Amino acid sequence: MTGPAVPILECRGVSKHYGALAAVDGIDLKIAANETVGIGGPNGAGKTTFFDLISGLTAVSGGEVVFDGRPITGRQPHRLFHEGLARTFQVTSGFGSLTVLQNMLVSVVNGSGRERPGLLLTRRHRDRAMAFLAEFGLADLANDLVSNIPVIARKKLMVASAVVHEPKVLLLDEPVGGLMPREIDEFIALMNQLRAQGICIVFIEHVMRFLTAVAGRALIIHQGKLIYDGDPHGIARDETVRSVYLGSAGLASH
Ligand SMILES: Nc1ncnc2c1ncn2[C@@H]1O[C@H](COP(=O)(O)OP(=O)(O)O)[C@@H](O)[C@H]1O
Ligand SMILES: [Mg+2]
């Protein structure tokens, strides 16, 4: 197993069994703080479950996850978030009955773990929330209810909420799933902006164009196992990967 000398994130034999099904089957992986890693693989391959194990949402059946030099297996997700491990979800989250600005304020005030949670909103909180909305191109929607904004804006808001406390590692589960090609381009620019800020991004994505544009390293998971770890541009030529995708919908390239 090759990999960086001092990883920010390391998985050692990480597994999850549901009855007889090995949803994640002994994944070994080291990711350095300066990497951007894209994870692909067919539906049901175990990608989301793998993120659930890393982010503490689901308990591992076996193996260990090490984050920033410390074992985190069994730690609760909200504690990990405060320690710098943030994630987003395949299905867009967010409080639909609150405005975009109110959603951002929830993240700013209650997400840090450093501030006492409460209802006292200061000018500083508001300025910080508005600055984030501007950075993500959401300032014009600040007073709209989240239930009324377009899907791409919801997806951006979810990422903005995850990065507001400057995570060391950001896990994104299918950030551009269901978006139009032009919207995917917008997201590629957003990802490159976050990379430039030095955040280690690990994302799951079917859209190959996005994966190759954003990731410096690609992983393919199939039946809970890593079957490819290398150059994103080499995926389509890899014999093992090709055999997995044969007969399925193929590698999405739009
Ligand atoms: N809570 C659960 N209980 C039972 N099986 C599950 C559960 N979560 C996921 N699975 C199964 O684990 C496999 C991997 O699912 P998932 O990680 O969602 O795949 P992917 O994100 O790659 O599409 C699938 O066969 C799925 O049905
Ligand atoms: Mg999934």
Side-chain angles (χ1 to χ4, degrees), residues 18 21 23-24 41-50 52 90 173-174 204 206:
Y18 290 112
L21 173 76
V24 174
N43 275 329
K47 305 180 299 296
T48 295
T49 305
F50 183 51
D52 290 346
Q90 201 168 336
D173 194 348
E174 300 200 17
I204 295 168
H206 285 286

